[in-house]
Amino acid sequence: MHAGLNVLKDVSLSTVKAFESAARHRSFRAAASELNLSPSAISHAILKLEQTLGTNLFEREGRVVRLSPDGETLMRHVGLAFDELRGGMELVSNRGPQLLRLHSAPSFATQWLTPRLSSFLSTHPGVEVRLAASTDYTRFLNDEFDADIVYGPTRAEGVVTIPLGLETVTPLCAPQLAEHIKAIEDLSGNLLIQSDLKRVRWSDWFKANGKESLIPHGARFDRSFLAIAVACAGLGIALESTRLAEREIETGRIVAPLAGLAKDVDYIGHYLVFPYAARQRRAVRIFTEWLLNELGLPHQT
């Protein structure tokens, strides 16, 4: 361990950068051009690094250079280190685009967030968004994401959790199907579409409407965006959030046949989550303010 620390004391960052560039390009000349140095300066820096480490990092054949086995090993570590360094400087820099690495529950990302991203980016041209979507909660242990929009409350520690307001869950279907639904009992003659991961299910909705004796049966999907899509296609009736189905309702592709005739279920479905340390990041603050504005929610203090 002490020997390794002594080696690090004898190696400058500029020397390691010369090696990384030459190894990446497989060329001293290309590295010199990238770093605005002479080829001889690159060669001298790498020779000094080889002497310090006591091994050859490149195999030289005239003007052609190839990484030696030890050079390949070092490059794997150095390349990762420089990637981390570049990423860290990008995250804290106030110059250039502010990177927001965002994760989201799939249906929220598909149905609500992505249709609005162009508006967000045009309003905040200094923010660059990288979006990923899955049902797994982000643990923020490997610094892969800055924030997560999760479905259902999270048990993660050391995070800020912001509820994203009430969502209304109600039966939704294509207009032609809705013409034949005038009461709750009319649902029993139709295919009832259920989202397996939904926290409010048909049994909950029937119970809220005093119809516990009605047993839901029909098609099952594991994502709300799939249930909404097949409901639009006229397959059956989906029990879904009007927030997630907002576009389809606005365009008339699906309607709420029992609006005003049955009791809807309201609940908090989604939450914005990010580590306490991320509160100071400009991109996270900008996105949080925009998100709450879009949802008509008060800003968090």
Side-chain angles (χ1 to χ4, degrees), residues 2 42 50 71 75-76 87 98 132 150 153 172 174 193 209 219 242 254 272 285 287:
H2 293 297
I42 296 293
E50 289 177 327
M75 181 55 185
R76 284 197 296 272
Q98 296 291 304
V150 303
L172 298 170
I193 300 166
N209 281 277
T242 56
I254 55 176
L272 176 65
R285 294 200 309 270
F287 179 76

Side-chain angles (χ1 to χ4, degrees), residues 203-241:
S203 56
D204 301 313
W205 188 86
F206 281 130
K207 183 177 180 180
N209 281 277
K211 303 291 183 180
E212 296 182 57
S213 59
L214 293 178
I215 301 175
H217 65 279
R220 299 173 64 175
F221 299 88
D222 67 349
R223 300 287 187 274
S224 287
F225 69 84
L226 294 175
I228 293 170
V230 295
C232 287
L235 178 65
I237 304 167
L239 184 70
E240 279 299 337
S241 161

